[in-house]
Amino acid sequence: MDPLPSPAVAAAAEAEADEEADPPATGSRTSQVIEQRDLEPGRMQMPQGNPLLLSYTLQELLARDTVQVELIPEKKGLFLKHVEYEVSSQRFKSSVYRRYNDFVVFHEVLLHKFPYRMVPALPPKRVLGADREFIEGRRRALKRFINLVARHPPFSEDVLLKLFLSFSGSDVQHKLKEAAQCVGDEFTNCKLAARAKDFLPADIQTQFAMSRELIRNVYNSFYKLRDRAERIASRAIDNAADLLIFGKELSALGSDTTPLPSWAALHLSTWGSLKQALKGLSVEFALLADKAAQQGKKEENDVVEKLNLFLDLLQSYKDLCERHEKGVLHKHQRALHKYGLMKRQMMSAAHGREPESVEQLESRIVEQENVIQTMELRNYFSLYCLHQETQLVHVYLPLTSHILGAFVNSQIQGHKEMSKVWNDLKPKLSCLFAGPHSVLTPPRSPQEDSVCSH
């Protein structure tokens, strides 16, 4: 494999090939980047052996950090109210205040520095008339974003993450941009970038296509699972509201003070007993409602949110595949096309015997060859990173068992607690049922009916 091109050529390659928007923070000269490469404390340390292979487990990734994102009550700005979040990191033992725009800048510099890695997407910006449900949904999405980033191997060792989670100054956005100006992207800083092709399997393109199809199918299935889990949790919360209203209506019926007409006076004592019993049932129904609400909230937090976390990861992989195809691969193809045009121009100029024109074209062709070399190196490095990110997705797959375990435990615990309340409620219904000669005969349970039949 040829060595990396000189800094000047690398800079020319970027200028020639980059059609995307300017990054949030422009880097310094490539030569300065190379000099500072070994001084950057957050640069990822490559494992021993084949650096392409990852050896992490899900527990190791989850143990890297747990970040909490809590909503702080709205504060009035000069013209509009804005939302702040308290971001707390277990790893850095820090607690800082961040606004949504701070997350935006952090996302931009992270994507600029790690264009070939899975950078999770941010939730949408605030829309006019945003309600509490939107704000709470965005808080949950920001929490998922920062936890995925904090547990990602290269991101977790980078200075940008430490700045975002621990810098308590007034202008974290300026600090992030300043830090991004000191170095280039991961390709520029990784010592293995020039040799990425040597570590790739021969059938990397076939593996890439297969992995992409597999993860697309997994994403579609988990998307449907998430929707069903949301409906189950929502039904539990709706059931809680219905139980509470049911109990309140019984209590209202028992508290009714409307006098009985004279023709119903014979049943005065019966109606009074019934009202007294109905009035006391609201306590048990309120407890049932509380248990149902707890189960719904638990499933939202432990099942739906974990499904959303995994979906965010899978979506970031799909976005990475798009960037690979529309970014470095497209730039490489465009550079080759431009090179072919230059060669044809040179042949025409040589045929016309224009020495100055031929010399200029030769110089441009040499530059374009360097551009192509750089694009080839970036293309292989992009595939190298894609291979590692694919492994990372598979490390997260056992999260499925965590999700199913949380769902089963929630159902068992919820039904167990509600069953106890229902059983406690049953004896209190005895006074509502009067049989012949004032013998109380409440309806039997299916089990009791079965025993009687035998």
Side-chain angles (χ1 to χ4, degrees), residues 81-94:
K81 292 181 179 181
H82 63 267
V83 177
E84 276 192 326
Y85 305 91
E86 183 177 7
V87 182
S88 306
S89 165
Q90 285 186 2
R91 175 187 175 191
F92 295 108
K93 297 178 174 60
S94 60

Side-chain angles (χ1 to χ4, degrees), residues 70-325:
E70 300 298 335
L71 191 65
I72 298 175
E74 288 188 349
K75 297 181 179 179
K76 289 186 177 181
L78 187 58
F79 297 105
L80 297 172
K81 292 181 179 181
H82 63 267
V83 177
E84 276 192 326
Y85 305 91
E86 183 177 7
V87 182
S88 306
S89 165
Q90 285 186 2
R91 175 187 175 191
F92 295 108
K93 297 178 174 60
S94 60
S95 182
V96 294
Y97 296 113
R98 295 287 180 259
R99 294 176 60 180
Y100 177 78
N101 286 339
D102 298 331
F103 281 91
V104 171
V105 172
F106 177 56
H107 181 269
E108 289 175 350
V109 296
L110 201 63
L111 192 56
H112 173 58
K113 189 170 185 179
F114 296 98
Y116 311 125
R117 300 288 181 181
M118 293 186 296
V119 180
L122 286 176
K125 292 184 177 181
R126 185 173 184 173
V127 296
L128 293 176
D131 54 14
R132 290 185 179 182
E133 184 179 353
F134 172 83
I135 294 174
E136 171 60 16
R138 192 172 68 174
R139 181 198 68 81
R140 289 173 178 265
L142 291 174
K143 180 181 177 181
R144 297 195 301 268
F145 163 80
I146 195 61
N147 275 283
L148 285 173
V149 170
R151 294 163 181 170
H152 190 284
F155 302 163
S156 64
E157 301 303 323
D158 194 80
V159 65
L160 293 175
L161 177 69
K162 184 176 181 180
L163 263 176
F164 185 79
L165 290 178
S166 61
F167 179 72
S168 58
S170 59
D171 193 359
V172 66
Q173 296 182 26
H174 175 72
K175 278 288 183 181
L176 289 169
K177 293 176 181 178
E178 190 177 57
Q181 286 178 347
C182 299
V183 291
D185 65 6
E186 187 183 12
F187 171 79
T188 309
N189 291 282
C190 182
K191 292 181 177 180
L192 295 176
R195 298 189 294 122
K197 182 181 179 181
D198 300 339
F199 301 105
L200 293 174
D203 60 342
I204 182 62
Q205 295 290 355
T206 302
Q207 289 191 27
F208 168 59
M210 292 173 60
S211 297
R212 190 176 185 183
E213 180 65 21
L214 171 64
I215 291 174
R216 183 187 292 114
N217 294 337
V218 171
Y219 177 89
N220 291 336
S221 294
F222 269 84
Y223 188 89
K224 295 175 184 176
L225 287 172
R226 191 275 315 274
D227 283 354
R228 295 299 162 178
E230 278 184 338
R231 294 180 64 178
I232 292 171
S234 178
R235 280 200 298 268
I237 294 173
D238 290 343
N239 185 36
D242 290 339
L243 285 167
L244 188 61
I245 294 173
F246 194 91
K248 287 181 177 179
E249 290 301 324
L250 289 176
S251 179
L253 186 61
S255 302
D256 185 73
T257 58
T258 306
L260 285 176
S262 58
W263 55 267
L266 294 175
H267 303 283
L268 180 61
S269 60
T270 304
W271 177 235
S273 300
L274 285 172
K275 287 203 301 181
Q276 190 64 30
L278 292 173
K279 188 175 181 180
L281 295 180
S282 63
V283 176
E284 279 72 20
F285 277 93
L287 186 56
L288 286 168
D290 183 61
K291 297 296 184 184
Q294 287 180 17
Q295 181 179 348
K297 290 296 183 184
K298 185 174 179 62
E299 288 174 0
E300 277 186 348
N301 294 326
D302 295 346
V303 180
V304 177
E305 272 305 292
K306 286 180 180 177
L307 286 168
N308 278 327
L309 179 80
F310 193 49
L311 283 172
D312 289 350
L313 179 75
L314 296 176
Q315 183 61 53
S316 67
Y317 181 86
K318 292 170 64 179
D319 294 342
L320 176 62
C321 294
E322 291 283 333
R323 289 202 303 274
H324 172 73
E325 289 188 340

Side-chain angles (χ1 to χ4, degrees), residues 360-409:
Q360 291 175 357
L361 280 172
E362 285 179 346
S363 175
R364 290 176 59 193
I365 287 173
V366 170
E367 284 187 14
Q368 191 63 17
E369 287 173 347
N370 289 330
V371 169
I372 292 171
Q373 181 188 22
T374 302
M375 288 297 101
E376 286 178 348
L377 292 175
R378 281 191 173 271
N379 183 45
Y380 286 124
F381 185 68
S382 177
L383 287 169
Y384 174 95
C385 294
L386 257 172
H387 197 286
Q388 288 190 330
E389 300 301 277
T390 304
Q391 296 174 64
L392 204 58
V393 170
H394 284 271
V395 172
Y396 268 95
L397 281 175
L399 192 64
T400 308
S401 60
H402 293 227
I403 296 169
L404 289 175
F407 178 61
V408 171
N409 290 337

